[in-house]
Amino acid sequence: MRPRYILIFGPPGAGKGTQGRRLAAKLGLAYVASGDLFRQQAEAGTELGKVAKQYMDRGLYVPDDITIRMVLERLREPDAARGAILDGFPRTLAQAEALEGALAEWGAGIDLVIYIKISEAEALRRTRGRWVCRNCQAVYNLETNPPRVAGFCDVCGGELYQRSDETPETLRRRFEVFAEQTLPLLEHYRQRGLLVEVDGERPIDQVFRELEAAVGRLVAG
Ligand code: ADP
Ligand code: ADP
Ligand code: ZN
């Protein structure tokens, strides 16, 4: 079977990572999040990580050439041979074109595009309580999705930390950048009939059920 590719869009805190990981596990696809890849590089102290961190901490997008190379390399790894859930990539027109070019070469294409919507006020609440695993990047929330043992990851026992780009100022900037540079991309997918929009302000399980239904239609159709 040809590989499947599902894109997840949404402003910061929408639940892309939370839903994307669950969906990937359910479908047996790789979960690929550009933000996670950058944070792993930053944690490891690589050159790429140092450059990326300068942009991330200002709430700006990392330049396209760096981002495209990193994500396409990740998609060529063996665990992504059946396809992937892409969280946070593409975010610009150049990235979208590069992705479609690569997928076409692999005899594949974009199967579904999910847009999870939330308000800026809800994003502020959620990102304040967000804690991330240093080891496996799993995401928790002190209020809505706490780990079983405070400070440690349920999945791998790793230490949890708060991202350095979650200040109110950075969050505002990230919201603006999303509206300016990424929202326009969605029009293109809507016109091709690929877009499914969901209300992300509901509980995690409810949002997931809606995504399962959308993916079910895809598999059935
Ligand atoms: P994104 O990847 O879009 O930035 P995350 O999946 O990291 O979003 O979720 C942001 C924060 O909100 C995390 O702390 C997560 O645990 C929490 N969260 C995710 N989805 C929901 C939801 N539907 N209701 C309440 N909290 C949520
Ligand atoms: P959130 O989950 O809050 O939406 P991410 O973890 O996806 O945030 O991304 C964090 C930061 O990583 C972004 O603010 C940006 O600096 C950088 N980044 C992630 N994906 C991309 C991308 N596709 N293009 C450019 N920069 C990106
Ligand atoms: Zn972990």
Side-chain angles (χ1 to χ4, degrees), residues 58-71:
R58 285 188 286 154
L60 302 175
Y61 285 169
V62 179
D64 282 332
D65 55 339
I66 303 179
T67 306
I68 289 167
R69 203 170 333 118
M70 176 184 74
V71 175

Side-chain angles (χ1 to χ4, degrees), residues 1 35-36 47 81 84 92 99 130 158 175 182 187 193 200 207:
M1 213 174 85
D36 283 0
E47 273 316 304
T92 64
L99 176 66
R130 169 157 59 185
F175 242 84
T182 303
E187 220 21 68
V207 175

Side-chain angles (χ1 to χ4, degrees), residues 21 132-138 140 152-160:
R21 278 173 178 261
V132 184
C133 175
R134 227 180 254 295
N135 183 47
C136 77
Q137 324 287 321
Y140 300 89
F152 296 95
C153 178
D154 292 353
V155 181
C156 77
E159 183 200 358
L160 304 184

Side-chain angles (χ1 to χ4, degrees), residues 10-19 87 122 126-127 129-131 139-141 144-145 163 200-204 207:
K16 301 182 295 296
T18 302
Q19 303 294 342
D87 162 358
E122 177 65 12
R126 285 192 190 173
T127 49
R130 169 157 59 185
W131 289 75
V139 176
Y140 300 89
N141 191 287
T144 62
N145 183 28
R163 286 167 47 171
E201 300 216 0
R202 293 164 309 152
I204 292 174
V207 175

